[in-house]
Amino acid sequence: MSTAETGTTGTGTTGTGTPASRGDVGGEVVLDARGLARRYPAGRSGLRRRTVSAVDGVDLRLRAGEVLGVVGESGCGKSTLARMLVGLERPDAGTLSYRGTDVTRMGRAEHGVMRRGVQMVFQDPYASLDPRMTVEQVVTEPLAAARTGSRATRRQRAGELLELVGLSAGMLGRYPHQFSGGQRQRIGIARGLALEPSVLVCDEPVSALDVSVQAQVVNLLGRLRDELGLAVVFIAHDLSVVRHVADRVAVMYLGRLAEVGDAEPVFERPAHPYTRALLSASPSVDRTQRGRLGRREVLRGEPPSPADPPSGCRFRTRCPLAVEECSTDVPLLRRARGDADERLAACHRAEVLLGG
């Protein structure tokens, strides 16, 4: 099982995030995931039923006002983790607590409390909005489902939410096809805020947008975090975006956490070979960052099948530092010896990487 708490270190000390302008993230724990696992059927091999572990034993702790960036290759389990965090999928193992209450053991009626507090912004603003619904209907749909207020008060609330995300209340009668991609994503964010959640889970919220629009949406999320005190789980492929917005970063590989910690130490001095390779391969990493990391890391081979992951460390088949121990012992998230940074890495060779 992976062991990482976004907000604590291996010794239990509280972290405060990176730049001071990002605010205090040492507050109440709003989401606490322990050993989350999600498996899907993958046919049969002879008489044996096969499964794919999309997420396999992930622990995460999210505090009020914190932005947690989740990064990793396609297929590593980021979106599955996001769906479990918002309650769209139930884990096959592990627990998820919202404000101290284990929601994995709740019934359907009780689960509604968590649904109000944790909302999601989806990746594709073209697919996530019903083209037959007006903006008013889209934004007020969560309020109507929760039976909150009258139609008039819901309409007023929808206008306020549009203004909050940088649109005009006069747009309530329009349809999604009348908006640009960035405007549609703002509408999706307004819908996510309708029930005044404590947590906003954003699954690749800018990947479908033009580069010129991405910064606007990222800055909007940062402003909403500051104004509303939201905790945000921000899933993205673009490492430069994550570095800009996140207080802490969790790096996933093949369903497990490879590294987690404060954003600056993870980006400046990664303690896991996979994190280092991701940073090295990113075209967005600046020249000085590339210089600190050395030459570009070229990973050998292809990612293993989630249906048949390698023994021991799942990254070992592509890792330039792998030794025999990596094939026999599953590495647990830990602080490397001598590492003073607020970060944990699941790597037997972390000390070698940090010392090299």
Side-chain angles (χ1 to χ4, degrees), residues 10-40:
T11 57
T13 4
T14 299
T16 57
T18 40
S21 61
R22 288 177 180 169
D24 179 14
V25 293
E28 175 194 7
V29 174
V30 286
L31 276 185
D32 193 358
R34 301 296 179 98
L36 284 187
R38 186 73 173 99
R39 296 180 290 272
Y40 298 100

Side-chain angles (χ1 to χ4, degrees), residues 90 105-113 115:
R90 286 186 177 271
R105 303 179 187 276
M106 288 181 174
R108 183 181 296 271
E110 297 168 307
H111 210 261
V113 177
R115 286 284 181 89

Side-chain angles (χ1 to χ4, degrees), residues 212-260:
S212 60
V213 180
Q214 290 183 4
Q216 299 173 22
V217 174
V218 168
N219 289 337
L220 169 64
L221 289 170
R223 176 173 63 81
L224 293 173
R225 187 279 289 268
D226 293 338
E227 292 181 1
L228 305 178
L230 287 170
V232 179
V233 178
F234 189 93
I235 295 172
H237 280 97
D238 192 329
L239 298 178
S240 63
V241 172
V242 173
R243 184 172 192 175
H244 175 74
V245 74
D247 299 301
R248 296 177 64 78
V249 177
V251 182
M252 289 190 69
Y253 182 80
L254 215 61
R256 292 180 178 171
L257 291 180
E259 186 168 356
V260 61

Side-chain angles (χ1 to χ4, degrees), residues 15 19 58 69 78 135-136 141 153 168 172 195 200 231 264 335 346:
V58 167
K78 302 186 303 295
V135 172
E136 178 185 350
E141 185 178 22
T153 58
S168 168
L172 286 174
L195 293 174
L200 203 60
E264 284 306 308
R335 177 182 288 180

Side-chain angles (χ1 to χ4, degrees), residues 5-8 15 17 66-69 246-250 260-263 342:
E5 298 184 349
T6 66
T8 62
E66 179 180 40
V67 178
L68 170 67
D247 299 301
R248 296 177 64 78
V249 177
V260 61
D262 290 349
E342 303 286 328

